[in-house]
Amino acid sequence: AGAPAPDGITGPDGPECASALLGRTLAAGDPAGGPTGRCPADTLTPDDADALRDTVNFLAVLGNRNLTLVADGTPRSAAAARSVRSAAAAAGIGVATPDRPSGPLLIVSGWSTADSALRRATAGGRIPPGGTYLAPWLATAPLLEIRAGAHIPLRSGLDGELPGRYRDALRAGYPGQTPSAAGYRAWLAEQRIAETDPVRIYQVVNGATIPMSGPLDTP
């Protein structure tokens, strides 16, 4: 019998968790033991923490003195919010809340909260002053298709070789399923493939990504 699925697969972060499990299954074929492991929202990876700190430093270089932070109650988001606040304090950037926004919008929540935040911020065709910045795990088509002046820190743009291989494999194995950062990362991990490109800030334009910075390095 297979092991029980992660608890988070039935909650608000269930779609992301299911996408991660699908990515693993896509790479492994028929993974022994069934759908095991933690859901992505359960923990903040060191790589994502570094990417968020790099994003805050990027905003500081652009001259921003404030940012508006959107988080939720998941362990990953709470840890991400702490990383952002620490980096912002070091960079001299104030951190505002969504009820009193100031500066670019930085979203470190899960998919559901991010969707709501993006739709509020873009109501009536608006774009937040300074644009919108998304945590790396928010790279999924339904969010990237919202016209919010979005930027996202990634090691590979969505048109890169490895993301392209993942999308092709997903399309062949599970037609109609939506690619996501969670699925892509699980697909890489199952095959023990490591991304070696440096993190860059990409701008999202019509669902595609355009590099907006050189390599970003966390000290």
Side-chain angles (χ1 to χ4, degrees):
D7 290 341
I9 202 166
T10 60
D13 294 296
E16 183 188 10
C17 193
S19 187
L21 294 176
L22 184 62
R24 178 182 174 223
T25 301
L26 180 66
D30 183 16
T36 61
R38 304 178 72 181
C39 287
D42 289 342
T43 185
L44 177 69
T45 67
D47 199 52
D48 281 345
D50 286 345
L52 290 173
R53 285 191 286 268
D54 289 336
T55 299
V56 173
N57 291 335
F58 178 77
L59 291 174
V61 169
L62 292 181
N64 291 283
R65 305 322 306 161
N66 294 285
L67 64 84
T68 300
L69 180 63
V70 175
D72 61 27
T74 60
R76 177 182 60 191
S77 185
R82 289 193 294 271
S83 291
V84 167
R85 291 182 183 280
S86 176
I93 294 179
V95 178
T97 56
D99 58 323
R100 300 185 67 182
S102 179
L105 189 66
L106 176 55
I107 304 178
V108 300
S109 67
W111 291 4
S112 178
T113 299
D115 183 83
S116 298
L118 286 171
R119 294 189 186 282
R120 282 195 305 270
T122 59
R126 297 173 300 168
I127 292 179
T132 303
Y133 290 77
L134 307 177
W137 58 84
L138 296 176
T140 184
L143 297 177
L144 299 184
E145 288 170 358
I146 299 173
R147 297 191 177 186
H151 303 74
I152 189 164
L154 299 170
R155 290 194 178 277
S156 298
L158 299 183
D159 298 323
E161 178 189 355
L162 283 173
R165 285 169 52 192
Y166 158 68
R167 287 197 309 275
D168 290 345
L170 184 66
R171 188 179 301 116
Y174 299 93
Q177 293 297 314
T178 302
S180 73
Y184 173 58
R185 290 174 173 188
W187 179 81
L188 288 175
E190 187 67 27
Q191 300 173 87
R192 293 178 170 81
I193 299 173
E195 288 189 295
T196 57
D197 291 336
V199 173
R200 289 179 168 84
I201 299 292
Y202 289 82
Q203 184 175 10
V204 180
V205 179
N206 296 327
T209 48
I210 300 172
M212 297 297 291
S213 77
L216 303 177
D217 295 310
T218 297

